[in-house]
Amino acid sequence: MATPNDSPSAKFDLHLAIDMRVGGWISEPKLLYSWIDNILKEVENRTEIRNPAVIEFKNAIESDAELYMGFHRLFYSLPDRDLLDRPQVKDYLTMLQCFDKFVGEAPTWNPNFLVFLPFTAILQLPMSMSNGFTILVNRRVNDHFRNVFRAWAKYLSSAASASVLTTDKYGWLGKGAMENMPDFQKLFECDPTKDHWGFTSWDHFFTRTLKSDARPVEVPDGGTYITSACESQVIRYKVKVAARDQFWLKDSQPYSLVHMLNDPLANSFMGGTVYQAILSSYYYHRWHSPVNGTIVKAYVVEGTYFAGIPPDSSLMAPNCEKPVPSSEKPPSSESVAFQHQQAFLTHVATRALIFILADDPNIGLMCFVGVGIVEISSCEITVQAGQRVKQGQEIGTFHFGGSTHALVFGPQVKLKFLKEENDFVEVRSAIARVE
């Protein structure tokens, strides 16, 4: 068994894969490690941390024995270098130097690989381990992450962040990027004759709005239909969902309504149905009401940013002949955080809850859950209790960061889903018929 003074010599498997790659948020492992190598070279000569929020984070770690120990344990089990002999982030000071760099930059588009979530790229390995889970669910740690991300969000809303919105080869409005966002000018409010196509900041681009005639509500003749709240890819849907369940179980990933909804109204949905889908980095990020109805409640639950289910203790560490305790082993390709953990995140991550009483009594009370994943995770609700909404009407938006969403229905609602797992669905398109 390794001791805190031992630095494991095993090098990480280059075939690590995390679920965020499904949405194009982070590049494949070989390119990701090259990116980390370059980042470490850039921060190598930084002599001080400049951003006040990152400085506060550093002071908190160094003044609190629990946090100080936790962040040392976060990194000590990681190898010093990857299989290609490139250095890795190995201590909290280097981590914070990287964070200090990131909060003054906007995500750039790269034709070879994507790293839209730089904080996640730095933390993806340690947050896949039991030591990482312990410190990354800490409420005080998440409060400091929240402050850091508020600082980054401020930059991403500034005019300076629009520098990445160009038609150059590496710009978000260039030919290469636009190939991943077909019909952009047709679908979204923009003006290619203006600087940055009229977008005033990176956040303005990320939260772009649809043109009035784009993505009309799809309601086939006959019957009542549920429409997609987001432009997204179907993850799954589950029926007869329990009020309380062991949502942290990696293999089954059940939904636990009381923990997911965090509201007394959760009991209204016991035995009901949950539909979940994930948003890609290139997708439209605003939310739209899936039904006609009245807003009953709408609020944001603050949660974690980098909490993932720790690996199974039976997994083997790379290049090891026998199992080692889960708190000390590097993660394998099957145990990296967020691998098939979208359902888990609906219970612990920052999320917006919008309860809607549908006009159709066969639907009744339903809930939209917008889940921010990893950095920033800002969920902005644009409706309020008592407000009437039409099907397809905008109800909120994600700001920068990974994102998934769920629709929750009561046990009385009988649905015939029109989409399969992994299907891409346009916002406002029909996803289910009420039977």
Side-chain angles (χ1 to χ4, degrees):
M1 180 182 297
T3 66
N5 293 323
D6 295 330
S7 179
S9 59
K11 295 178 180 178
F12 283 119
D13 182 355
L14 284 176
H15 295 92
L16 289 169
I18 65 176
D19 204 44
M20 301 304 290
R21 286 176 56 197
V22 174
W25 293 97
I26 295 179
S27 63
E28 64 179 77
K30 288 184 179 180
L31 295 173
L32 175 59
Y33 291 143
S34 294
W35 177 85
I36 291 174
D37 186 37
N38 289 331
I39 292 296
L40 291 178
K41 290 175 182 176
E42 290 184 36
V43 303
E44 184 177 11
N45 296 321
R46 282 180 173 242
T47 58
E48 60 179 351
I49 294 174
R50 301 177 181 85
N51 186 274
V54 183
I55 292 173
E56 287 182 10
F57 202 169
K58 176 178 178 291
N59 291 340
I61 292 173
E62 294 178 343
S63 62
D64 186 294
E66 181 184 352
L67 301 190
Y68 188 68
M69 179 179 67
F71 274 95
H72 274 85
R73 287 173 60 84
L74 181 75
F75 290 104
Y76 93 83
S77 293
L78 304 186
D80 293 325
R81 311 184 80 81
D82 67 23
L83 287 177
L84 297 183
D85 203 36
R86 293 170 297 202
Q88 301 294 292
V89 176
K90 280 288 295 178
D91 59 78
Y92 76 91
L93 285 173
T94 304
M95 175 193 77
L96 293 174
Q97 291 285 10
C98 292
F99 291 177
D100 193 49
K101 168 182 166 59
F102 298 154
V103 295
E105 300 175 343
T108 57
W109 185 79
N110 190 311
N112 299 315
F113 70 101
L114 307 175
V115 184
F116 295 165
L117 302 175
F119 291 80
T120 304
I122 295 299
L123 290 171
Q124 62 146 346
L125 298 179
M127 72 186 181
S128 303
M129 304 170 70
S130 295
N131 281 345
F133 180 83
T134 300
I135 193 65
L136 293 173
V137 296
N138 183 287
R139 190 177 299 275
R140 287 169 295 164
V141 169
N142 282 284
D143 287 343
H144 281 288
F145 273 126
R146 188 172 298 111
N147 289 337
V148 171
F149 296 147
R150 283 172 179 161
W152 196 25
K154 183 177 181 180
Y155 177 81
L156 295 180
S157 298
S158 71
S161 69
S163 62
V164 298
L165 305 178
T166 70
T167 56
D168 297 339
K169 179 180 179 180
Y170 300 104
W172 278 100
L173 307 177
K175 180 180 178 181
M178 282 295 137
E179 288 176 351
N180 296 282
M181 296 176 281
D183 299 321
F184 189 96
Q185 295 182 36
K186 179 180 178 181
L187 290 172
F188 300 109
E189 294 289 349
C190 62
D191 186 349
T193 66
K194 295 182 178 179
D195 289 344
H196 313 300
W197 289 13
F199 296 112
T200 57
S201 67
W202 161 261
D203 184 72
H204 188 194
F205 168 76
F206 187 80
T207 61
R208 55 191 175 271
T209 56
L210 287 167
K211 289 186 175 179
S212 58
D213 58 348
R215 299 287 193 258
V217 175
E218 179 192 8
V219 182
D221 293 336
T224 300
Y225 288 82
I226 307 297
T227 53
S228 179
C230 298
E231 198 104 333
S232 50
Q233 182 180 357
V234 180
I235 296 175
R236 62 178 179 172
Y237 49 87
K238 293 288 185 180
V239 298
K240 299 181 179 179
V241 177
R244 293 175 178 83
D245 213 327
Q246 296 179 355
F247 58 85
W248 57 87
L249 296 179
K250 184 174 64 175
D251 294 333
S252 59
Q253 280 290 274
Y255 293 101
S256 182
L257 291 169
V258 168
H259 303 100
M260 180 181 182
L261 299 181
N262 196 58
D263 192 281
L265 290 174
N267 289 325
S268 304
F269 300 96
M270 185 171 63
T273 299
V274 174
Y275 162 93
Q276 188 175 2
I278 188 172
L279 285 72
S280 162
S281 50
Y282 288 116
Y283 292 175
Y284 171 70
H285 276 80
R286 292 181 178 265
W287 325 323
H288 295 256
S289 180
V291 296
N292 292 312
T294 302
I295 305 299
V296 176
K297 287 184 179 182
Y299 60 95
V300 173
V301 177
E302 292 185 343
T304 64
Y305 293 93
F306 299 102
I309 302 174
D312 189 285
S313 60
S314 65
L315 292 173
M316 300 284 286
N319 301 328
C320 292
E321 296 181 355
K322 59 182 179 180
V324 294
S326 60
S327 63
E328 297 174 354
K329 66 174 180 261
S332 73
S333 59
E334 293 303 318
S335 63
V336 177
F338 300 143
Q339 181 71 17
H340 312 302
Q341 294 186 19
Q342 301 294 327
F344 167 76
L345 296 173
T346 64
H347 304 87
V348 299
T350 296
R351 55 203 181 276
L353 303 177
I354 304 178
F355 294 90
I356 307 171
L357 181 61
D359 291 346
D360 189 332
N362 293 315
I363 300 174
L365 186 68
M366 65 153 298
C367 187
F368 166 86
V369 185
V371 185
I373 303 174
V374 295
E375 44 255 60
I376 297 193
S377 295
S378 295
C379 302
E380 180 187 0
I381 297 172
T382 56
V383 291
Q384 58 187 354
Q387 182 177 338
R388 291 274 307 157
V389 291
K390 294 183 178 180
Q391 191 168 40
Q393 180 179 333
E394 184 182 320
I395 57 176
T397 187
F398 289 117
H399 290 269
F400 184 60
S403 43
T404 184
H405 79 288
L407 303 180
V408 187
F409 302 90
Q412 79 284 358
V413 186
K414 308 304 178 185
L415 298 171
K416 178 177 176 57
F417 284 95
L418 310 176
K419 306 294 182 181
E420 302 291 335
E421 290 184 10
N422 299 316
D423 281 354
F424 167 74
V425 291
E426 294 179 351
V427 66
R428 295 176 176 156
S429 63
I431 58 171
R433 184 177 71 245
V434 180
E435 296 190 316

